[in-house]
């Protein structure tokens, strides 16, 4: 993952902005990792190594990488169920992410969460959430606790809470933004606007389709940014997080991007017109960024291919790691139900008698 | 005295269709039958339903009758309730039962209470359809069997059909009923097939059915569980055991008569349920049998239910946590005090 603090030495002048060439190459590498990992997940799903629901970040790579370049290690991250890329960008071993998809003990959530429920307390990845909007109130609560425990300032932690465009229609979004606005919480809500919630367009679901404006009712500033532009995403997120840390000002960031494929790996997206699909493919951030870097002389084809090949090997290894990892033992079924052991906590398996015969 | 021949009515013709198709055809028939019927839910129109139950209906009936709602369960369930208060007959689809928890206030505090609390002046002729069920590796939040949450509530009626024919006849009854009806489907039943009679079929709400007769033991179940109960009953039949299967069909009201009549005959009962054991549907059935036909019991009533754990994603854990045919057969043998015979193991 790209380092958060970038040296401002103007090594690259041909590319807009002052981001050093190695950092830009790092962003490309990160985007390539997410792309490759997600395509491999899709393949593993088709081979039945992954079950349940599986939602991919395909098309959202610039958004994911830009956001994760802005966040500090100590910041808390909450996401929806489209969470694989974020787990990778929080520096979790790709093998552990793949192992979670395979339902193995070595997975980031011990194989208990699966695709939608990536969690790593050390990396402060505070969860993928499968219920639409489920992440928003707890993310707000972490911000409440940070405010209670830490002085405002550049050193303070902050919360980043991701959600989809469709998710802005659920009550939890509005209740939480009101709390954050009312209590001045250090949180950045990020709407990843991929223009669809399953098969429903933003216009068909939201009375105010300019979603960034939805902060206005809660006096939360809203900003819309091109989610296909990794640097614009990074810069906007850095500014927003800085406000959260130093001013205790919550911010609503809307990032415009496209979902390259269906809602989940099993959705053929037939409801989408050929025209819309073409637009999505044209703005595909991975080849676009690659071409930009090549045009700016920061990469050439050979160097880009070498990065892709390195990533391919990493993703291969993640699959091997997942395959080689053990399945959870049914004897551990009840391992994490309660934190404090108490008398009479249920531990019966289906068909066990409720009482030992006296 | 002239003897008139009793009018001969041929039984209706039947077709073998899926549970999904039975629901789809019934929704269509009811949209045609009554202008006040409309469908509302997430992704039911353009997307044709997450599980394709509403396929084709937007095209045929248009957006006033098939309403695509944003992800706002509390909002659109409550809006359907309001429409029902002035005589419309909304049929709500909640994508899965798990998301009904977001609408629980409108369902429990409002829909269920209206008629009583306002002195009988208003009724709520709405249906809320939703699938429950685990076993598809959807993990803890997407695999629940929450029927008992609704079955506990006075003012609601709760149905849980196990066959395509019942899906049709109970859904028709639910839509024509003047009260809020919770209609529980199951993800693993949608593609199951069965004979469905043609023409209008309206079941009587509140009645269980004996779906297989037997004399040695009664298995009580509902929804997906009934299909497993039948599988086990047929399998044990081959071993010389005569098992009766009672399919509850209606969880509220509960047909205690049919349950007790069966156990009076067999003297043994096992409940097979997909929900969690403590305070589950089986607890109510066991209590009913204990109070109703205690003297006829030759053994304690047993329950086969899910392990009380948020359902993990990993297949090994999910298999261990959910009740299957193998555990049901084991418990039936235990209740009848019979050693297992050596035969092909039942599917886990
Ligand atoms: C409360 C709730 N309702 C419905 C669903 C089903 N569902 C899962 S994802 C989704 C669409 C969400 O769209 P959006 O917020 O735009 O996120 P995206 O999938 O585009 O990332 C829906 C309706 C759910 N998981 N939870
Ligand atoms: Mg979306």
């Amino acid at each position: 993952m790209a380092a958060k603090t970038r040296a401002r030495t103007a090594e690259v002048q041909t590319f807009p902005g002052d981001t050093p060439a190695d950092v830009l190459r790092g962003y490309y590498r990160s985007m390539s990792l997410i792309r490759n990992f997600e395509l491999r997940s899709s393949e593993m799903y088709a081979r039945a190594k992954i079950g349940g629901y599986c939602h991919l970040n395909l098309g959202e790579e610039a958004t994911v990488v830009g956001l994760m370049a802005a966040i500090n290690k100590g910041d808390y991250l909450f996401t929806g169920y489209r969470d694989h890329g974020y787990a990778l960008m929080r520096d979790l071993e790709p093998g552990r992410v793949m192992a979670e998809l395979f339902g193995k003990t070595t997975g980031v959530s011990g194989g208990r969460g699966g695709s939608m429920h990536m969690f790593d307390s050390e990396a402060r990845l505070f969860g993928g959430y499968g219920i639409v909007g489920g992440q928003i109130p707890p993310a707000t609560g972490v911000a409440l606790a940070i405010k209670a425990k830490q002085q405002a300032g550049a050193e303070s932690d902050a919360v980043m809470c991701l959600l989809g465009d469709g998710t802005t229609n659920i009550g939890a979004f509005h209740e939480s933004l009101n709390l954050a606005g009312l209590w001045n919480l250090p949180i950045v809500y990020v709407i990843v606007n991929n223009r669809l919630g399953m098969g429903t367009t933003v216009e068909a679901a939201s009375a105010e389709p300019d979603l960034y404006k939805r902060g206005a009712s809660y006096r939360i500033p809203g900003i819309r940014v091109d989610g296909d532009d990794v640097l614009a995403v990074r810069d906007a997120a850095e500014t927003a997080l800085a406000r959260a840390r130093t001013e205790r000002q919550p911010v609503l960031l809307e990032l415009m991007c496209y979902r390259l494929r269906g809602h989940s790996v099993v959705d053929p997206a037939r409801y989408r017109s050929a025209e819309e699909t073409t637009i999505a493919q044209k703005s595909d951030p991975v080849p676009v960024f690659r071409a930009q870097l090549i045009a700016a002389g920061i990469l050439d084809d050979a160097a880009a291919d070498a990065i892709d090949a390195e990533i391919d090997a990493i993703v291969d290894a993640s699959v091997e790691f997942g395959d080689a990892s053990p399945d959870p033992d049914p004897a551990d079924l009840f391992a994490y139900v309660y934190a404090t052991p108490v008398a009479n906590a249920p531990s019966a398996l289906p068909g066990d008698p409720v009482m030992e015969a006296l | 005295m002239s003897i008139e021949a009793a009018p001969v009515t041929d039984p209706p013709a039947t077709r073998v269709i899926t549970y999904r198709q039975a629901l789809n055809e019934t929704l269509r028939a009811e949209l045609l039958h009554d202008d006040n019927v409309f469908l509302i839910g997430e992704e039911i129109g353009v997307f044709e339903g997450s599980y394709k139950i509403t396929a084709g209906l937007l095209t045929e009936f248009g957006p006033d009758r098939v309403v695509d709602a944003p992800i706002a369960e509390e909002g659109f369930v409550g809006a359907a309730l309001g429409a029902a208060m002035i005589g419309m007959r909304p049929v709500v689809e909640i994508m899965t039962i798990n998301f009904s928890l977001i609408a629980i206030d409108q369902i429990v505090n409002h829909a269920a209470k209206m008629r009583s609390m306002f002195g009988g002046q208003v009724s709520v002729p709405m249906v809320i359809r939703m699938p429950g069920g685990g076993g598809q590796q959807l993990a803890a939040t997407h695999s629940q069997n929450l029927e008992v949450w609704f079955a506990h509530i006075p003012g609601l009626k709760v149905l849980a059909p196990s066959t395509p024919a019942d899906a049709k006849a109970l859904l028709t009854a639910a839509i024509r009923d003047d009260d809020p009806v919770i209609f529980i489907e199951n993800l693993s039943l949608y593609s199951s097939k069965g004979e469905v009679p043609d023409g209008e079929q309206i079941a009587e709400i509140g009645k269980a059915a004996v779906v297989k007769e037997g004399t040695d033991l009664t298995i009580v179940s509902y929804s997906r569980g009934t299909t497993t109960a039948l599988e086990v009953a047929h399998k044990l039949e081959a071993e010389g055991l005569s098992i009766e299967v009672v399919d509850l069909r209606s969880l509220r009201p509960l047909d205690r008569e049919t349950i007790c009549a069966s156990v009076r005959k067999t003297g043994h009962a096992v409940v097979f349920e997909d929900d969690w054991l403590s305070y589950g549907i089986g607890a109510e059935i066991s209590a009913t049998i204990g109070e109703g036909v205690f003297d006829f019991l030759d053994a304690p009533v047993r329950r086969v239910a899910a392990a009380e754990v948020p359902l993990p994603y990993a297949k090994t854990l999910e298999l261990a946590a959910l009740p299957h045919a193998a555990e049901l057969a084991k418990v039936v043998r235990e209740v009848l005090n019979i050693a297992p015979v050596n035969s092909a193991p039942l599917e886990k």
Side-chain angles (χ1 to χ4, degrees):
Chain A
M1 197 187 108
K4 137 107 187 90
T5 38
R6 301 180 308 285
R8 302 272 160 175
T9 50
E11 183 189 332
V12 180
Q13 294 304 343
T14 41
F15 203 82
D18 59 356
T19 307
D22 59 336
V23 173
L24 292 169
R25 283 190 290 264
Y27 293 163
Y28 176 73
R29 185 180 177 279
S30 294
M31 286 164 71
S32 174
L33 171 61
I34 297 171
R35 172 60 50 97
N36 193 314
F37 188 93
E38 294 295 57
L39 291 174
R40 202 71 63 93
S41 301
S42 178
E43 192 189 319
M44 293 299 124
Y45 195 93
R47 290 167 57 184
K49 290 195 189 187
I50 301 174
Y53 294 140
C54 187
H55 311 82
L56 307 177
N57 287 122
L58 293 173
E60 301 177 355
E61 288 86 350
T63 289
V64 180
V65 173
L67 288 171
M68 295 300 98
I71 197 170
N72 282 351
K73 267 199 166 6
D75 293 335
Y76 294 83
L77 179 69
F78 285 75
T79 87
Y81 42 80
R82 204 178 290 284
D83 58 354
H84 307 172
Y86 298 96
L88 295 170
M89 290 303 105
R90 288 240 97 174
D91 280 343
L92 303 187
E93 273 296 316
R96 292 183 57 223
V97 182
M98 193 60 86
E100 187 60 36
L101 299 179
F102 287 7
K104 300 300 184 83
T105 48
T106 53
V108 297
S109 302
R112 287 165 191 254
S115 166
M116 301 193 289
H117 305 112
M118 301 279 170
F119 196 102
D120 189 290
S121 52
E122 243 168 72
R124 297 204 170 166
L125 169 61
F126 259 50
Y129 291 78
I131 300 293
V132 160
Q135 72 275 29
I136 311 174
T140 307
V142 169
L144 178 68
I146 289 173
K147 188 185 169 191
K149 295 263 189 191
Q150 298 181 6
Q151 290 290 328
E155 298 306 306
S156 171
D157 295 330
V159 180
M160 180 182 282
C161 178
L162 300 160
L163 53 128
D165 44 277
T167 303
T168 63
N169 299 309
I170 199 124
F173 171 77
H174 296 274
E175 294 192 24
S176 300
L177 261 68
N178 186 52
L179 297 181
L182 188 66
W183 295 337
N184 297 101
L185 302 183
I187 183 165
V188 178
Y189 299 99
V190 181
I191 304 169
V192 178
N193 185 346
N194 58 16
R195 300 157 211 255
L196 285 168
M198 296 187 73
T200 304
T201 61
V202 172
E203 291 70 25
S206 299
E208 173 50 272
D210 292 340
L211 301 179
Y212 67 97
K213 293 181 181 165
R214 293 190 148 185
S217 307
Y218 315 108
R219 298 208 173 166
I220 292 181
I223 300 150
R224 178 180 271 182
V225 176
D226 177 2
D228 288 333
D229 181 340
V230 61
L231 301 184
V233 171
R234 178 200 65 195
D235 293 346
E238 269 184 3
T239 308
L241 282 164
R243 291 196 71 181
R245 284 182 225 293
T246 56
E247 301 166 36
R248 297 290 186 241
Q249 171 62 62
V251 179
L252 179 63
L253 211 56
E254 180 186 14
L255 307 178
M256 306 303 292
C257 54
Y258 289 95
R259 204 185 68 197
L260 265 186
R261 296 217 183 150
H263 169 68
S264 70
V265 290
V266 298
D267 170 21
R270 288 205 196 87
Y271 44 84
R272 219 172 183 183
S273 71
E275 198 188 344
E276 286 162 340
T277 308
T278 312
I279 296 175
Q281 284 165 352
K282 269 206 186 124
S283 45
D284 182 345
V286 183
V288 168
F289 192 55
R290 177 183 163 127
Q292 282 172 345
L293 292 185
I294 289 174
I298 293 164
L299 274 181
D300 57 24
D301 267 318
D305 289 348
I307 291 174
D308 292 347
E310 182 219 337
I311 291 298
D312 203 46
I314 289 173
V315 177
D316 278 348
S318 79
V319 171
E320 274 162 36
F321 178 79
D323 278 335
S325 296
D327 289 319
D329 184 346
D332 297 331
L333 181 61
F334 294 92
Y336 306 116
V337 180
Y338 297 111
T340 305
V342 286
N344 295 318
S347 62
L349 291 173
D352 286 353
V354 288
M355 306 274 293
E356 291 299 325
L358 295 177
Chain B
M1 193 178 82
S2 72
I3 298 170
E4 269 186 62
V8 181
T9 43
D10 288 333
T14 65
R15 283 172 307 140
V16 175
I17 57 174
T18 60
Y19 192 100
R20 170 183 289 109
Q21 195 177 349
L23 292 169
N24 178 272
E25 290 180 7
T26 305
L27 292 172
R28 179 170 182 274
E30 291 305 293
L31 283 163
L32 289 170
H33 172 80
D34 183 347
D35 281 346
N36 284 318
V37 173
F38 71 99
L39 314 185
I40 184 169
E42 289 160 19
E43 305 290 338
I44 65 168
V46 177
F47 199 78
E48 304 201 302
S50 270
Y51 300 99
K52 305 299 165 206
I53 307 302
T54 51
L57 299 179
L58 173 66
T59 313
E60 183 172 355
F61 295 97
D64 288 340
R65 308 284 310 279
V66 179
V67 182
D68 265 326
I71 312 170
E73 283 85 1
E74 184 177 11
F76 70 76
V77 169
L81 160 59
M85 289 174 77
I86 61 162
M88 303 220 28
R89 292 187 173 271
V91 182
V92 183
E93 175 175 301
I94 296 184
M95 200 176 281
T96 76
I97 198 168
N98 308 287
F99 316 145
S100 72
L101 299 187
I102 287 158
I104 202 85
D105 170 67
Q106 287 298 315
I107 300 171
V108 174
N109 279 331
H110 297 91
K113 308 281 191 281
M114 292 276 181
R115 186 167 167 79
S116 289
M117 196 167 67
F118 297 140
Q121 297 180 80
V122 70
S123 61
V124 179
M126 81 190 288
V127 177
I128 302 175
R129 300 176 33 242
M130 49 198 177
Q136 328 233 346
Q137 281 196 277
L138 301 180
T141 58
H142 281 60
S143 303
Q144 301 175 94
N145 291 279
L146 300 172
E147 46 273 14
V148 76
W149 282 54
F150 302 100
H152 187 62
I153 304 299
L156 299 179
K157 295 170 180 169
V158 183
L159 308 179
S162 70
T163 64
D166 273 357
K168 171 177 179 169
L170 285 169
L171 183 56
T172 309
I175 295 172
R176 305 224 184 153
D177 192 279
D178 285 338
D179 293 307
V181 179
I182 306 297
F183 192 87
I184 290 169
E185 301 164 9
N186 191 288
L187 293 180
S188 66
L189 285 178
Y190 281 145
S191 296
S192 66
K193 288 186 173 167
E195 291 215 357
V196 176
D198 288 343
E200 193 171 280
Q201 304 291 328
I202 310 177
E204 189 181 349
I205 291 178
K207 292 285 191 182
V210 175
V211 290
K212 179 184 172 303
E213 295 202 11
T215 52
D216 294 335
L217 179 143
T218 302
I219 302 175
V220 181
S221 195
Y222 60 94
S223 190
R224 180 205 78 90
T226 298
T227 59
T228 303
L230 283 169
E231 175 197 335
V232 168
H234 287 297
K235 158 103 185 155
L236 296 178
E237 193 94 343
E239 295 175 16
L241 300 180
S242 173
I243 309 291
E244 181 146 306
V245 177
V246 173
D247 182 17
L248 291 174
R249 299 165 81 243
S250 173
L251 302 177
R252 171 176 282 272
L254 183 63
D255 184 356
R256 301 183 201 274
E257 280 296 326
T258 299
I259 299 164
C260 287
S262 175
V263 178
R264 198 179 296 128
K265 183 171 76 174
T266 63
H268 301 91
V270 175
V271 186
F272 186 70
E273 57 189 319
D274 274 335
D275 63 348
W276 292 298
L277 187 90
S278 299
Y279 307 100
I281 299 290
E284 183 62 30
I285 307 301
S286 300
T288 295
I289 295 169
E291 288 179 39
V293 283
F294 179 78
D295 289 342
F296 295 83
L297 280 176
D298 295 325
V301 180
R302 290 275 301 275
R303 289 169 286 160
V304 180
E308 295 183 46
V309 63
L311 196 65
Y313 163 75
K315 199 69 205 168
T316 48
L317 299 180
E318 191 186 50
L319 276 171
L322 294 178
H324 299 91
E327 291 93 32
L328 176 57
K330 175 186 87 98
V331 171
V332 167
R333 290 195 178 97
E334 284 171 8
V335 170
L336 291 172
N337 216 354
I338 295 170
V341 287
N342 238 349
S343 61
L346 281 154
E347 278 291 310
K348 195 41 181 163

